[in-house]
Amino acid sequence: MTTRAATLDIALNTRSIDDGTREFTAIGVPYGPVYDMGWGYRERFEKGSVDATDAVLVYQHRDPIGTITSARDTEDGLEITARISHTARGDEVYTLMRDGVLKSMSIGFELIDSREDTVDGEPINTITKARAIEFSVVLNPAYKDAKITNVRENQTSPHQEGTSMDTTSPQEPEVTAQDLE
């Protein structure tokens, strides 16, 4: 079995920010589109092909920054929900996501099974079964359709231990993907 990381173009479409939970939702793996990975190799993920059990959240395929709290198949791809930990790197990544600087995701996965298909006369590798090892917030993705769709924060601040504080303001507008473009 082969383990590899594929950088996905997953734009961060931030729709709302709820101070506290530090969670976000993203299409971790898009289903269907064919991506040119370079050197004449093209691939796509088949719907339902990725098992995200025990996958973790990392930054740039290196630094652990949180947990994957849920995953579900959608028409667009595998939708994940992740929670960013209160660590120095987690705080930095979360701030950069909220500010619209980090807009992409990537997957590190173990390839279990695939088949060769032909699309427009070109051979492509269709991944039919893979185990996700990690989902990574990255600066430069390979798959443009893997998008972060929602960022929330609604937990006690690490600086305010023992107190619960909702820092959302009814006057604050939601931040949408269009606002970040």
Side-chain angles (χ1 to χ4, degrees), residues 8-10 25-33 35 44-52 70-81 107 127 135 143-147 149:
L8 308 173
D9 187 349
I10 305 173
T25 304
I27 296 298
V29 178
Y31 293 145
Y35 295 96
R44 68 178 169 192
F45 285 86
E46 186 173 81
K47 183 176 181 179
S49 61
V50 179
D51 176 7
S70 69
R72 69 182 185 99
D73 285 321
T74 69
E75 287 304 311
D76 294 328
L78 181 70
E79 180 184 86
I80 63 162
T81 299
I107 182 174
I127 297 167
F135 291 95
Y143 303 147
K144 68 179 179 64
D145 297 307
K147 300 173 180 168
T149 56

Side-chain angles (χ1 to χ4, degrees), residues 23-44:
E23 288 187 344
F24 69 92
T25 304
I27 296 298
V29 178
Y31 293 145
V34 176
Y35 295 96
D36 186 343
M37 305 304 287
W39 305 286
Y41 176 76
R42 297 174 357 145
E43 71 181 15
R44 68 178 169 192

Side-chain angles (χ1 to χ4, degrees), residues 2 9 22 26 29 49 61 73 76 88 96 132-133 137 139 170 180:
T2 304
D9 187 349
R22 295 169 61 102
V29 178
S49 61
H61 295 291
D73 285 321
D76 294 328
L96 292 170
I133 296 166
V137 177
L139 184 60
L180 298 174

Side-chain angles (χ1 to χ4, degrees), residues 58-119:
V58 299
Y59 173 65
Q60 292 292 112
H61 295 291
R62 287 188 313 265
D63 304 324
I65 59 169
T67 59
I68 305 301
T69 59
S70 69
R72 69 182 185 99
D73 285 321
T74 69
E75 287 304 311
D76 294 328
L78 181 70
E79 180 184 86
I80 63 162
T81 299
R83 181 176 301 121
I84 300 173
S85 299
H86 285 283
T87 64
R89 177 67 74 197
D91 293 348
E92 175 185 17
V93 170
Y94 181 73
T95 298
L96 292 170
M97 287 172 64
R98 283 187 58 176
D99 290 349
V101 175
L102 291 175
K103 301 178 182 179
S104 303
M105 295 287 296
S106 180
I107 182 174
F109 65 97
E110 176 183 13
L111 178 63
I112 297 170
D113 199 13
S114 66
R115 69 172 181 268
E116 187 171 306
D117 291 327
T118 302
V119 174

Side-chain angles (χ1 to χ4, degrees), residues 132-166:
I133 296 166
E134 47 98 352
F135 291 95
S136 184
V137 177
V138 297
L139 184 60
N140 296 305
Y143 303 147
K144 68 179 179 64
D145 297 307
K147 300 173 180 168
I148 292 180
T149 56
N150 192 347
V151 178
R152 299 177 292 285
E153 181 180 336
N154 200 5
Q155 289 178 351
T156 303
S157 164
H159 306 292
Q160 304 266 331
E161 289 187 37
T163 62
S164 181
M165 190 171 144
D166 181 359

